[in-house]
Amino acid sequence: MLRVCASGMSDVGRSRRHNEDCFEIDPELRLYLVADGMGGHRFGEVASRMAVTAIQSHVRSAGEPSPEAAGGRRGDLLVAAFAVAHERVLGAIQRDADLTGMGTTLVGLLLDDWSGSIAHVGDSRAYRLRQERFELLTQDHTWVHEQVAAGYLSEEQARVHPLKNVVTRALGGEGEMRVDLRPVDVRPGDRYLLCSDGLTTMLTDEEIAGRLAASVSVAEICRGLVTDANARGGHDNVTVVVIAVEGEDPERE
Ligand code: CA
């Protein structure tokens, strides 16, 4: 099995009163999640935590990763877990009308040996740094991203646009909950970043890549990213999970 080192950090930022983001790192399942909740009062917090917990327990119910279970089936498992989480949030809203409108974005990485699956809904993102190449692995489900794709806005205009927070898909939201799934190959030396938009609206991709490339611990990278987002204004909750793939682990063979 690959040896993997991961760390996460979530911060309320400089202008919000509550932190509606959350993250989860499960080294046994090799599951990593970032969620960014939305809803009135403190219900965003409820939605993001509920969704993350539901995904973790659904993946756990399928057992630990094994070579036999690698590949597409693990990706399908992650998508199925998102669907379970969606139903869980909708169920809570049905039981308590005060919760109407609560929902959450979600981005998850489920690692196998030498491969992984990235699933997401909304505008929380996954990036990968592989040697010199820093790559965005997800496409935001936002109105501004649609404008970029259509050629009406540049990436930089989208990053600071007043409507940048309008998501077109969310877990727990109304309408269809469609998950984007992306299989990835995994190599020693890869660094993956999962983050909420509180990071990516404050910092450019170049700035994020600089932090991710530093020769420091994953915990230090997380602290640096959160510090940078807050130094830039910290307009939103900011959450990061950094996963460093270090190579074969002989003890897990
Ligand atoms: Ca946010």
Side-chain angles (χ1 to χ4, degrees), residues 158-239:
R159 199 172 67 79
V160 296
H161 197 281
L163 296 179
K164 64 183 184 293
N165 293 325
V166 178
V167 294
T168 49
R169 294 193 221 168
L171 208 140
E174 287 160 12
E176 189 188 9
M177 199 283 294
R178 248 180 324 130
V179 183
D180 282 0
L181 176 69
R182 176 175 181 148
V184 287
D185 66 308
V186 175
R187 297 185 197 165
D190 281 355
R191 282 181 174 176
Y192 293 85
L193 167 68
L194 308 181
C195 61
S196 64
D197 70 328
L199 184 78
T200 51
T201 52
M202 290 290 113
L203 304 177
T204 65
D205 281 8
E206 290 71 29
E207 290 166 332
I208 295 168
R211 281 288 185 185
L212 206 57
S215 302
V216 295
S217 71
V218 283
E220 200 62 45
I221 294 171
C222 290
R223 268 196 297 276
L225 288 167
V226 169
T227 302
D228 288 352
N230 282 334
R232 197 59 61 80
H235 296 159
D236 195 0
N237 307 146
V238 55
T239 301

Side-chain angles (χ1 to χ4, degrees), residues 122-187:
D123 62 356
S124 296
R125 293 183 176 177
Y127 288 92
R128 175 172 63 202
L129 180 71
R130 173 172 287 168
Q131 292 167 342
E132 308 293 290
R133 184 156 185 234
F134 184 65
E135 192 183 358
L136 175 61
L137 301 174
T138 51
Q139 300 289 320
D140 293 350
H141 302 139
T142 57
W143 180 83
V144 289
H145 178 73
E146 289 173 1
Q147 303 309 302
V148 172
Y152 298 130
L153 288 177
S154 71
E155 290 283 356
E156 188 51 31
Q157 285 169 327
R159 199 172 67 79
V160 296
H161 197 281
L163 296 179
K164 64 183 184 293
N165 293 325
V166 178
V167 294
T168 49
R169 294 193 221 168
L171 208 140
E174 287 160 12
E176 189 188 9
M177 199 283 294
R178 248 180 324 130
V179 183
D180 282 0
L181 176 69
R182 176 175 181 148
V184 287
D185 66 308
V186 175
R187 297 185 197 165

